[in-house]
Amino acid sequence: MSRDVTGGLQQTTEASGAEPEWAAPRGVLPSQGLWQAVDEGWISSGDFRIRPESIQPASIDLRLADHAWALRCSFLPSAGAAVMDRVDDLALDRLDLRDGATLERDRPYLIPLLEELELPRDVRAKANPKSSTGRLDVFTRVITDGNHRFDEIPAGYRGKLYLEVVPRSFAVRVKPLLSLNQLRLAVGDPRVGDSDLTHIHEEFPLLYMDKHALPAGDLAIADGLFLSVDLSGPHNRVVGYRAKKNSNRLDMSLLAHYKWRDYWEPVYPEAGGRIVLDPEVFYLLLSAEGVCVPPQYAAEMMAYDPTAGELRTHYAGFFDPGFGYDATGHKYGSRAALEVRARDVPFMVEHRQPICKLAFETMLEQPDKLYGAGVGSNYQGQETTLSKHFVEQTAGNAQLALGGDGESLEDMPPPLK
């Protein structure tokens, strides 16, 4: 099935079991569809051109404008009300971002985004933090006029976009044009049902373990595909990172710049492959499984079921088509970074314990580019969960780190393997 995003719908039944011709199209717009959406004016940014690098395989990066408001509290506008109607009541201060500005920990900020929307009546949008944003424990969500939901933008919306930003672990410095979150457009309900996930896995393995596709019978499926945490190995193996609370400010525009030990503590497993999470402390862990998102699909990491424990995962979590995918079959998925915080009480997590799940979505058609080195992706084949702002010891950037900042290998984080 393919869709001309300028208005014409085309249906095919070229494969056995395909949807009938009368079925309504459903799916996430691919990169070429997003470019058409820009050309049609569904997404615009005024005097600021939308750059090619802003278009990802199934999403578009959104950029900060030149000012922000420090808020007394978070909010959602009431039905029919504009976001700006609340700013006069709740704003404590207005910040000029043009020369950069510091956002303090645990303070909500409201920042207008350069991009605006003028969506057709059958196209809706959803926003997620970018992976690098989530890995820094910077909480973001989009607010729109007259809408009582964060990040969910109804079909036919026409208006401005605002980003609520709350740094949790580190004070961060931001400036205009910085991208902290991303947006995707969809027609209909693109979600893949549980009954289809096993069939997809048989054709395109979605999860790998030790370079082998996970047997279909071992998949844990319940309104999505569960991932477990990797806490294996000896007591001196680093299995994750724990954020330090009183670190220096971190400039989010600087890449491969910071020493990881200034901001993170390594996490080691206890005997039996387990760790105890301290309440309200941010952890970066790694999935035990390698994830593969085939070109025809995208995926989103969903919040952990609160009935399973006082634990929250998923601060970022959108996986573009091609994440962990290798058309030659020589690679076996990429492990997922797990952003975790325990609530209220210490919480024990054990090796291979299910800790989050992936919801898969179908694409309207295969993107003309996939996640990976060809589009500047930072986390394909990742061996550490730290964001691109830190000097990392990985096969892809160890030489860059040594040449750029003069770090010794001892200063670099060990890969989580």
Side-chain angles (χ1 to χ4, degrees):
M1 174 170 51
S2 63
R3 182 178 196 272
D4 176 0
V5 298
T6 60
L9 302 183
Q10 301 173 2
Q11 299 285 339
T12 66
T13 54
E14 55 195 39
S16 175
E19 294 183 2
E21 292 188 7
W22 47 261
R26 63 183 183 91
V28 177
L29 269 67
S31 46
Q32 63 270 29
L34 291 171
W35 270 121
Q36 291 185 44
V38 171
D39 290 341
E40 291 294 312
W42 302 0
I43 308 171
S44 60
S45 55
D47 295 333
F48 292 87
R49 181 176 65 90
I50 294 177
R51 301 168 298 181
E53 56 267 30
S54 293
I55 304 292
Q56 306 301 321
S59 60
I60 180 171
D61 293 343
L62 304 177
R63 298 167 293 172
L64 304 182
D66 62 4
H67 60 282
W69 293 276
L71 300 178
R72 180 164 60 93
C73 60
S74 179
F75 71 95
L76 279 171
S78 55
V83 172
M84 290 304 299
D85 293 340
R86 292 288 190 184
V87 171
D88 288 341
D89 292 336
L90 301 178
L92 300 176
D93 197 10
R94 189 179 191 274
L95 284 70
D96 189 337
L97 304 185
R98 287 175 293 181
D99 293 324
T102 297
L103 309 184
E104 300 294 342
R105 282 178 43 207
D106 293 325
R107 167 69 63 193
Y109 295 85
L110 185 70
I111 307 178
L113 295 169
L114 292 179
E115 287 73 24
E116 300 183 16
L117 298 181
E118 191 170 338
L119 299 178
R121 58 182 176 82
D122 63 338
V123 177
R124 60 183 179 84
K126 187 171 184 179
N128 289 89
K130 290 177 67 67
S131 183
S132 296
T133 305
R135 294 174 194 228
L136 289 179
D137 197 19
V138 177
F139 185 66
T140 72
R141 49 193 182 181
V142 166
I143 306 176
T144 48
D145 293 333
N147 183 12
H148 66 284
R149 296 179 67 87
F150 293 109
D151 286 335
E152 300 273 358
I153 303 169
Y157 177 78
R158 299 187 173 194
K160 295 181 178 297
L161 303 174
Y162 301 86
L163 190 66
E164 180 186 271
V165 181
V166 187
R168 298 299 313 277
S169 292
F170 316 120
V172 297
R173 184 173 178 82
V174 299
K175 61 183 181 181
L177 302 180
L178 190 65
S179 294
L180 302 186
N181 72 325
Q182 57 195 354
L183 187 82
R184 62 190 190 272
L185 304 181
V187 177
D189 185 356
R191 291 175 297 179
V192 175
D194 287 351
S195 60
D196 295 323
L197 284 175
T198 301
H199 299 300
I200 295 171
H201 180 73
E202 291 173 350
E203 182 178 3
F204 300 104
L206 303 176
L207 296 185
Y208 288 85
M209 183 67 68
D210 299 326
K211 299 184 178 181
H212 299 285
L214 204 65
D218 291 347
L219 297 178
I221 300 176
D223 195 25
L225 188 61
F226 279 89
L227 295 180
S228 65
V229 63
D230 179 11
L231 299 176
S232 62
H235 67 88
N236 60 347
R237 173 183 179 257
V238 176
V239 295
Y241 300 95
R242 164 189 166 125
K244 294 182 176 181
K245 272 293 187 181
N246 296 300
S247 302
N248 291 329
R249 179 187 66 187
L250 189 148
D251 189 330
M252 296 187 70
S253 67
L254 299 179
L255 308 183
H257 181 79
Y258 293 100
K259 296 180 180 180
W260 69 277
R261 289 188 183 275
D262 291 341
Y263 296 86
W264 302 94
E265 297 171 341
V267 175
Y268 303 97
E270 297 181 1
R274 65 185 187 183
I275 61 174
V276 175
L277 307 176
D278 289 327
E280 303 304 331
V281 175
F282 183 71
Y283 292 82
L284 286 174
L285 306 174
L286 201 63
S287 69
E289 301 86 358
V291 176
C292 177
V293 181
Q296 302 92 331
Y297 300 94
E300 181 180 7
M301 191 177 292
M302 306 301 292
Y304 195 78
D305 183 354
T307 63
E310 293 299 320
L311 188 69
R312 177 183 171 89
T313 60
H314 167 58
Y315 290 86
F318 180 65
F319 294 75
D320 271 304
F323 179 87
Y325 173 78
D326 177 21
T328 68
H330 294 117
K331 296 181 181 179
Y332 310 99
S334 291
R335 292 199 283 172
L338 307 177
E339 301 146 7
V340 181
R341 175 177 274 108
R343 301 296 191 190
D344 301 327
V345 297
F347 189 83
M348 184 181 71
V349 180
E350 299 179 281
H351 178 60
R352 293 302 308 277
Q353 179 175 333
I355 201 171
C356 65
K357 60 184 175 181
L358 294 177
F360 281 79
E361 300 175 337
T362 187
M363 302 295 298
L364 273 177
E365 58 184 346
Q366 183 170 318
D368 59 5
K369 58 183 179 180
L370 298 178
Y371 187 92
V375 295
S377 306
N378 293 284
Y379 305 114
Q380 190 78 299
Q382 61 192 349
E383 297 176 353
T384 177
T385 56
L386 299 180
S387 73
K388 61 187 179 183
H389 306 89
F390 298 96
V391 177
E392 296 178 3
Q393 184 185 356
T394 63
N397 62 13
Q399 185 174 0
L400 171 65
L402 284 166
D405 284 15
E407 299 285 349
S408 68
L409 290 178
E410 288 76 10
D411 291 326
M412 300 181 191
L416 308 183
K417 299 176 72 173

